[in-house]
Amino acid sequence: MQTEWRLTVADVLRRPLFEHADVIAGSRGLARSIRWVHILEAASNAAFLNGGELVLSTGVGFGEDDGKRLAFLQGLIERGAAGLCVELGPYIPEIPESMRELSEHHQFPLIAFRRPVRFVDITLDLHESIVTRQTEALRHLEAYSRELQQLTLQTTGLPRLLTHFQAAVQTQVFLIRQERSPLFVPAMAHSVQNELVALFQKSQQAGELSGQANGILSLSEQKRILYQPINAMGHVLAYLGVILYEQEPNEILLLTLDRTATAVAQLLLRSMFAEEQARDSQNRLLDDILQGRMRHERQLQTLLGIQPQAAPPGYFAVVMEIQAETPQFNEEEGSYYDLLSVFRSIVSCCGFRLYQRAKGERLYMLFVETGTLTGPRMQLQKAVNELTRTCRSALGHAAQVRFGISRRSVRYVEADSHFREAEQVLTLQPKTASSSPFYDDLGVYRLLLQITDEHAIDAFISDYLGPLLQYDEHHGSRLVLTLRTLLDHNGSKQETADQLYIRRQTLYNRLEKIAELIGDTYLEPEHRLCLELALRAHAWQQRVQA
């Protein structure tokens, strides 16, 4: 289908109006496609060509001078014309050797009419043929699209869809999927398949592959790959490709590739949807983990599909919270499973196996390492970034996405406590937090979160900060903020004044009042430690109450 609609220079030479035409040079370029026919007599007008035109000329504007003839021909070649037809006559009696050599060098068809011809007849004839062929090609494309739709509605698989695609384009096609075996139609040698997959993986890691539109990868001077990413909610699930041998991708091929990619995306999502629905047993298992009902380590690892080994793989407990205008995790809608399926693909690409359970606006996720990861935290952060981007792509950029991530562990029976760690991170983060989502980075708050007696915390804050808090409340001052800033900057008065945007004398006045209210030993190590803890406990209370 990708070639029958094209009118080539070779096709034109077989038409009756070209009966007395001879190919003078550039015969190796006769396969060039003709998009339109244009009459051109001046070299300066070559700039108006768009490429693919078959140019007709008598040489009236350039034929008398060899320099002008070569400039005219060079301009057509640079603008991507399909070929040049010259009517031999008073302006150009014969095609000069210089034009022959230039055309032959660029494989640019140079055709001579030995007898006078009517350019208007040629133009009408070829334009009618071009329009007819393109109309017929569009009819074939529409029929192909309907057949694709029927295939996606049937209980068919990807191999049959690729076979249908290959029959349409008449060249090697393939589908490279994330974390799945690639598909090639027709079949190729395994060594060639491995080389092709390695090329895609290398190009993807280097950021050379397009994630949205189609692109080209060069294999050799004569062989190239035209590929189309298969997207779902902004995440690339696979790459659909066509191998081109000594040809350029044309509009019909690009449209065929695009429509096939859409059909493949539908099949992939449907397959992932079915897999997600089949994971109800995993949901029940994760519920048991969250409720702390699993107390046998070996049994839990078996249920999670972890093979017996000396050192079990590590895991992170992750809680993802999404706030958007529309409900995210409505289990009655297909979009719920679509989103979770894409999440699973993202996490898998980062080196983890994912177990997930939705509860309201929160998604509880167990990230189990699938191999020896170099820097598991870095890989986890990469997955978190991609999950955030995917959520905002699917739900709108206004969606607020936050994460709480536990410490890494290898004891699966303790997963419930690690999920509580992840929840505690979300409790501490402000609603628009850009701070670290890792429990490891909470610092002293990890101790504060373990204190369940609120009276003890209130008493501690009151004993060390009470006079400052009361003074700020009654006088509208900012003594607590001043003290916090001073301690955060290791007692540097200049940095504190700069941070608060006040003069140093104003800072001295505040520090005198602070010393008057809580004593002048507040910078001594033991007193300072207590103040630091009280300040953070007070800030934590303010966040929770907000």
Side-chain angles (χ1 to χ4, degrees), residues 116 152 185 189 278 284 292 301 314 319 328-329 342 371 410 430 458 478 494:
T152 56
V185 179
R284 290 193 296 270
Q301 289 185 21
V319 179
Q328 296 81 27
F329 301 121
V342 173
V410 294
D458 290 340
R478 308 182 74 184
Q494 183 61 55

Side-chain angles (χ1 to χ4, degrees), residues 39-317:
I39 300 173
L40 199 64
E41 299 289 3
S44 58
N45 291 334
F48 295 101
L49 298 178
N50 292 320
E53 294 90 352
L54 180 65
V55 176
L56 308 178
S57 181
T58 63
V60 64
F62 58 87
E64 73 281 0
D65 179 82
D66 190 58
K68 289 184 178 181
R69 290 193 294 263
L70 291 179
F72 180 80
L73 184 57
Q74 185 66 41
L76 299 185
I77 294 171
E78 291 176 354
R79 295 299 297 179
L84 171 63
C85 298
V86 178
E87 182 184 276
L88 300 181
Y91 306 108
I92 301 183
E94 283 295 334
I95 303 296
E97 186 62 29
S98 57
M99 292 183 70
R100 295 169 183 254
E101 290 179 357
L102 182 59
S103 294
E104 195 65 37
H105 176 73
H106 290 282
Q107 301 180 26
F108 182 78
L110 181 57
I111 300 166
F113 288 108
R114 298 293 181 182
R115 298 182 183 180
V117 291
R118 287 167 53 89
F119 283 177
V120 65
D121 292 340
I122 294 176
T123 302
L124 287 173
D125 178 54
L126 297 188
H127 283 177
E128 181 181 357
S129 178
I130 290 170
V131 172
T132 300
R133 286 167 176 256
Q134 289 183 342
T135 303
E136 187 64 22
L138 290 175
R139 289 199 189 99
H140 281 293
L141 181 62
E142 188 61 32
Y144 175 77
S145 299
R146 289 195 299 270
E147 292 165 358
L148 274 182
Q149 186 178 22
Q150 290 300 317
L151 285 175
T152 56
L153 291 175
Q154 298 169 6
T155 56
T156 186
L158 289 170
R160 185 174 176 186
L161 195 68
L162 287 181
T163 301
H164 186 63
F165 177 45
Q166 194 277 332
V169 299
Q170 292 295 307
T171 187
Q172 177 73 52
V173 303
F174 61 87
L175 181 70
I176 294 180
R177 300 174 288 178
Q178 303 284 10
E179 302 298 320
R180 299 288 182 91
S181 299
L183 298 175
F184 292 84
V185 179
M188 300 177 70
H190 285 292
S191 58
V192 179
Q193 292 185 22
N194 293 336
E195 289 179 9
L196 197 58
V197 172
L199 173 64
F200 263 83
Q201 291 174 344
K202 181 180 177 181
S203 300
Q204 188 175 26
Q205 292 171 359
E208 298 172 355
L209 295 183
S210 169
Q212 300 296 328
N214 57 65
I216 294 285
L217 279 179
S218 294
L219 295 176
S220 65
E221 189 174 335
Q222 292 82 24
K223 189 186 300 183
R224 297 189 298 170
I225 295 174
L226 171 66
Y227 68 87
Q228 174 85 24
I230 310 296
N231 276 296
M233 301 179 186
H235 176 66
V236 176
L237 299 177
Y239 286 96
L240 178 65
V242 177
I243 297 181
L244 304 178
Y245 301 91
E246 296 184 343
Q247 70 178 96
E248 294 292 326
N250 55 63
E251 292 89 341
I252 298 299
L253 176 58
L254 292 174
L255 287 172
T256 305
L257 177 65
D258 182 69
R259 297 188 183 188
T260 307
T262 301
V264 170
Q266 292 173 352
L267 283 183
L268 287 176
L269 277 177
R270 191 170 71 188
S271 173
M272 294 164 69
F273 176 88
E275 291 175 2
E276 206 60 48
Q277 284 186 312
R279 288 188 168 95
D280 287 340
S281 60
Q282 289 187 7
N283 289 341
R284 290 193 296 270
L285 175 59
L286 209 54
D287 282 339
D288 289 340
I289 291 175
L290 290 170
Q291 297 298 323
R293 291 195 287 263
M294 303 299 296
R295 287 299 157 206
H296 298 284
E297 179 71 19
R298 185 59 258 163
Q299 178 188 10
L300 179 53
Q301 289 185 21
T302 301
L303 291 173
L304 289 171
I306 299 172
Q307 299 299 321
Q309 50 192 298
Y315 72 90
F316 293 87

